[in-house]
């Protein structure tokens, strides 16, 4: 199994390191052709405006097509903003694919970045989480499961093969959330083979 990390801007290396730690084959995706042969893709944190400008054209179209086909996606922070069907104060959907609304920078300014420990459904009640000008989920559509909350706001959710976090699991040495995504990808592969 090989996973891709969208490598246009942001915490790309850190995701690659988490995957390496789990022994997962990985590659950086900068153009459409580099999506071939992947089993799933991670959209990192960074600056969602910058990433969406860089992922214009055919790359965005292909990502949109894949996510609507059920291909596994994991978006962290800015990556979550790109995957949200709706962003507060923004007319257009970026890539979309998970039926949530997000509020950008809801956790405060850069100086308000913080690290905490979260209870994550199906993973544990001691998961370290780094928040950096993080978006919060302000609406969950039908079929979206909240997996973690922080001070009453949903900060991790899943709908089918799409997983999103407000925070940055790749900035800690705890790889359980990446492993959770790898398990999602394996389930998807099994289903694809059975089809
Ligand atoms: N606030 C950033 C944005 O709106 C996301 C921050 C992050 O990814 N750490 O894109």
């Amino acid at each position: 199994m090989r996973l891709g990390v969208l490598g246009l801007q942001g915490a790309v290396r850190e995701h690659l390191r988490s995957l390496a730690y789990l022994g997962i084959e990985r590659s950086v995706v900068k153009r459409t052709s580099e999506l071939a042969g992947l089993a799933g893709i991670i959209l990192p944190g960074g600056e969602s405006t910058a990433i969406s400008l860089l992922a214009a054209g055919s790359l965005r179209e292909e990502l949109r097509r894949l996510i609507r086909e059920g291909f596994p996606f994991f978006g962290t922070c800015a990556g979550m903003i790109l995957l949200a069907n709706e962003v507060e104060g923004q007319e257009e959907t970026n890539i979309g694919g998970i039926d949530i609304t997000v509020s950008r920078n809801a956790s405060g300014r850069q100086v308000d970045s913080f690290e905490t420990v979260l209870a994550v459904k199906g993973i544990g009640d001691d998961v370290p989480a780094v928040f950096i000008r993080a978006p919060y989920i302000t609406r969950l559509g039908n079929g979206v499961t909240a997996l973690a909350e922080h001070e009453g706001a949903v900060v991790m959710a899943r709908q089918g093969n799409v997983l999103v976090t407000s925070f940055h699991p790749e900035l800690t040495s705890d790889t359980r959330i990446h492993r959770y995504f790898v398990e999602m990808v394996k389930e998807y592969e099994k289903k694809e083979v059975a089809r």
Side-chain angles (χ1 to χ4, degrees):
M1 174 208 294
R2 190 156 54 86
L3 298 182
V5 179
L6 189 67
L8 301 170
Q9 193 264 338
V12 180
R13 257 180 304 163
E14 291 81 357
H15 275 293
L16 293 170
R17 190 186 54 190
S18 298
L19 295 175
Y21 188 81
L22 292 174
I24 301 293
E25 275 188 62
R26 61 224 165 260
S27 55
V28 176
V29 175
K30 291 190 187 207
R31 47 178 76 88
T32 313
S33 60
E34 290 163 342
L35 289 164
L38 296 181
I41 186 160
I42 297 177
L43 274 52
E47 188 52 51
S48 58
T49 312
I51 300 174
S52 73
L53 289 172
L54 292 167
S58 76
L59 181 55
R60 184 179 8 224
E61 287 315 311
E62 188 58 11
L63 292 170
R64 281 186 177 152
R65 193 185 68 76
L66 285 171
I67 202 165
R68 280 155 186 76
E69 275 192 353
F71 189 79
F73 274 68
F74 175 22
T76 59
C77 204
M80 172 170 98
I81 296 170
L82 298 180
L83 297 182
N85 282 357
E86 212 172 29
V87 179
E88 284 181 15
Q90 200 173 294
E91 296 276 305
E92 277 171 47
T93 306
N94 292 297
I95 294 167
I98 181 162
D99 189 19
I100 56 173
T101 303
V102 300
S103 167
R104 285 180 70 184
N105 302 327
S107 81
R109 296 174 300 141
Q110 194 82 29
V111 288
D112 301 322
S113 299
F114 58 93
E115 182 163 357
T116 186
V117 173
L118 298 175
V120 179
K121 264 186 209 148
I123 295 186
D125 56 7
D126 57 348
V127 180
V130 177
F131 288 82
I132 305 169
R133 291 200 305 137
Y136 282 170
I137 300 169
T138 54
R139 182 190 62 87
L140 286 181
N142 290 333
V144 183
T145 306
L147 295 176
E149 288 184 17
H150 179 69
E151 289 177 350
V154 178
V155 292
M156 178 170 177
R158 175 178 177 179
Q159 181 175 24
N161 287 323
V162 185
L163 180 69
V164 292
T165 62
S166 297
F167 52 92
H168 294 267
E170 77 285 6
L171 298 185
T172 73
S173 56
D174 191 308
T175 52
R176 284 177 291 173
I177 292 182
H178 285 82
R179 196 179 307 150
Y180 181 93
F181 180 60
V182 167
E183 291 307 318
M184 274 172 60
V185 174
K186 282 186 186 160
E187 277 169 37
Y188 174 70
E189 283 194 322
K190 260 190 250 159
K191 270 189 227 148
E192 284 293 286
V193 170
R195 212 152 71 168

